[in-house]
Amino acid sequence: MDSPVLFDSLTTASGHRIALATLNAEKALNALSHDMVGLLASQLARWQRDPLVACVVLRGAGDKAFCAGGDVRALREALLQESSHPSPAAQSFFTDEYRLDYAIHTYPKPLIVWGNGIVMGGGLGLLAGASHRVLTERTRIAMPEIAIGLYPDVAGSWFLQRMPARLGLFLGLTGAAINAHDALIANLADCVLDHASWPKLLDALHHARWDGGDDFATVSALLDALEDACPHALPDSHIAPRLIAIHQLMNRGSLSAVADALQQVHGGSDAWLAAAASGFAAGCPMSAAVTWEIFRRARHLSLAEALRMELVLSVNFCARPDFREGVRALLVDKDRQPQWSCRSLADIDPAAIDAHFTSPWARDAHPLADLL
């Protein structure tokens, strides 16, 4: 039980196996460590080669969180001990994390993520690429990297682009939290079940017919039946009644104009939009500027190209002070008073934005060069 990821399997009535992986850091809300990434990647590769494994299920220990993000405190500690660029710790962690995300997006077998509770940052990277993303009425999703001087990574530059009405840009700039109903609208969920339905899901997987046909269709039909029988009611959507307003806020042509529009709703009567605007106002200006530029540059990128771009961005963010300062203020000292390198968008030199996209590696030496 001391392993940061627990592995198990459930033998089905047909003799196949349902493979189970549990992120096992409940007290840390299953924050994704480098060890977790390595263990999960290796086991997924083994299960992929095993002909008896029909389906994989990934969940988090406990009831509070699937995964609250990457273990950025550990990364910050490593960065404080290093001086080279790119940082060996940052390059190693992000390379392995993005390879894992890519493996999940391209996994050849059904992969179910049970996204109960908090799903943030690196946890959303695991969820977003799964073939079957199952959420509950307790799910709370966010990409709050702007609060720690980073940006929406873990393939966020790819999947946030695929949301309607500039919603992905809104979530990346504000760190706003959404629920399971919202996730259906945002294309981050395939099924919503009551949180107490976990045993029913395992039982349905155990009794399903795994006969070598279309296992993806088998899982989809199984989840559809469970959802139809589920007694829960979807939580009220934050997004549905505000989708046009979100589009209008984000569709201003420039980041400065978007910032002005968000300022107008900051103290308004819509509490959810006001909280989102507050997240933007308190966030790192450089993170906002780079996030805006990401959405311009990544519009037509493939998944592999997006992850290669993100690795460049991540090691460059780690070489600058804002990430270390953001983690300090939010998670270490917890004073929530970060001293950003640029106090406002007006202080940012456009050349500094471009520098974040400058690779420290030659094209053929990029650590993710082999992704297709």
Side-chain angles (χ1 to χ4, degrees):
M1 294 297 289
D2 291 334
S3 174
V5 186
L6 304 178
F7 301 109
D8 201 355
S9 64
L10 175 70
T11 302
T12 71
S14 63
H16 292 82
R17 289 191 295 127
I18 306 302
L20 306 173
T22 303
L23 304 179
N24 188 37
E26 184 177 354
K27 291 182 179 179
L29 300 177
N30 301 314
L32 193 64
S33 68
H34 202 170
D35 285 345
M36 282 179 169
V37 169
L39 289 168
L40 191 54
S42 296
Q43 189 61 55
L44 284 176
R46 284 191 287 270
W47 283 335
Q48 179 175 330
R49 296 189 297 267
D50 187 340
L52 290 180
V53 171
C55 174
V56 175
V57 184
L58 174 61
R59 68 176 302 200
D63 236 5
K64 292 183 178 180
F66 164 59
C67 175
D71 188 355
V72 292
R73 279 181 290 192
L75 178 56
R76 176 182 180 272
E77 287 300 315
L79 292 174
L80 292 174
Q81 306 301 317
E82 298 177 349
S83 58
S84 58
H85 178 61
S87 153
Q91 178 174 327
S92 178
F93 175 75
F94 288 117
T95 297
D96 292 345
E97 183 182 25
Y98 299 168
R99 282 191 178 279
L100 174 60
D101 293 331
Y102 183 83
I104 290 174
H105 275 270
T106 59
Y107 205 65
K109 298 182 179 184
L111 197 160
I112 301 170
V113 168
W114 177 255
N116 181 57
I118 297 170
V119 186
M120 293 186 180
L124 187 53
L126 301 178
L127 173 83
S131 64
H132 295 82
R133 301 158 300 179
V134 182
L135 305 185
T136 78
E137 81 285 3
R138 294 184 174 182
T139 297
R140 181 171 178 264
I141 290 175
M143 290 293 279
E145 286 79 7
I146 192 170
I148 58 168
L150 203 56
Y151 70 99
D153 66 328
V154 294
S157 61
W158 187 84
F159 64 74
L160 291 175
Q161 294 272 357
R162 286 158 173 77
M163 296 181 182
R166 297 184 178 267
L167 174 60
L169 179 61
F170 174 82
L171 296 178
L173 287 176
T174 66
I178 62 174
N179 60 32
H181 193 160
D182 300 322
L184 289 171
I185 298 170
N187 193 29
L188 288 175
D190 301 291
C191 174
V192 180
L193 300 177
D194 186 274
H195 77 279
S197 296
W198 170 252
K200 295 179 183 178
L201 172 59
L202 291 184
D203 185 66
L205 291 169
H206 170 70
H207 288 98
R209 293 180 60 86
W210 306 101
D211 54 9
D214 187 344
D215 290 340
F216 289 92
T218 296
V219 174
S220 295
L222 176 155
L223 291 175
D224 186 57
L226 286 173
E227 193 171 39
D228 285 346
C230 190
H232 83 282
L234 277 176
D236 291 339
S237 172
H238 301 296
I239 290 172
R242 300 175 175 91
L243 194 57
I244 299 304
I246 288 170
H247 181 268
Q248 291 172 339
L249 285 169
M250 295 295 106
N251 197 35
R252 301 292 173 127
S254 71
L255 181 57
S256 61
V258 167
D260 289 342
L262 287 171
Q263 179 62 34
Q264 295 300 311
V265 302
H266 189 278
S269 59
D270 188 319
W272 188 79
L273 276 181
S278 179
F280 173 79
C284 175
M286 184 61 77
S287 293
V290 172
T291 297
W292 180 267
E293 182 66 10
I294 286 170
F295 271 75
R296 188 184 71 81
R297 297 192 185 204
R299 184 177 178 187
H300 299 298
L301 295 184
S302 69
L303 175 63
E305 290 167 337
L307 287 170
R308 279 191 283 271
M309 179 188 71
E310 289 184 7
L311 185 57
V312 170
L313 288 166
S314 294
V315 298
N316 285 334
F317 265 97
C318 285
R320 299 165 191 270
D322 283 333
F323 172 65
R324 283 165 283 173
E325 172 62 7
V327 175
R328 179 207 65 76
L330 187 66
L331 300 174
V332 179
D333 296 336
K334 301 182 181 180
D335 58 27
R336 295 183 177 270
Q337 298 294 322
Q339 301 301 307
W340 303 123
S341 61
C342 296
R343 289 187 172 272
S344 70
L345 294 174
D347 296 331
I348 296 176
D349 182 347
I353 300 173
D354 291 338
H356 283 78
F357 294 85
T358 301
S359 177
W361 311 286
R363 182 184 296 271
D364 58 355
H366 192 293
L368 299 178
D370 59 314
L371 297 187
L372 301 176

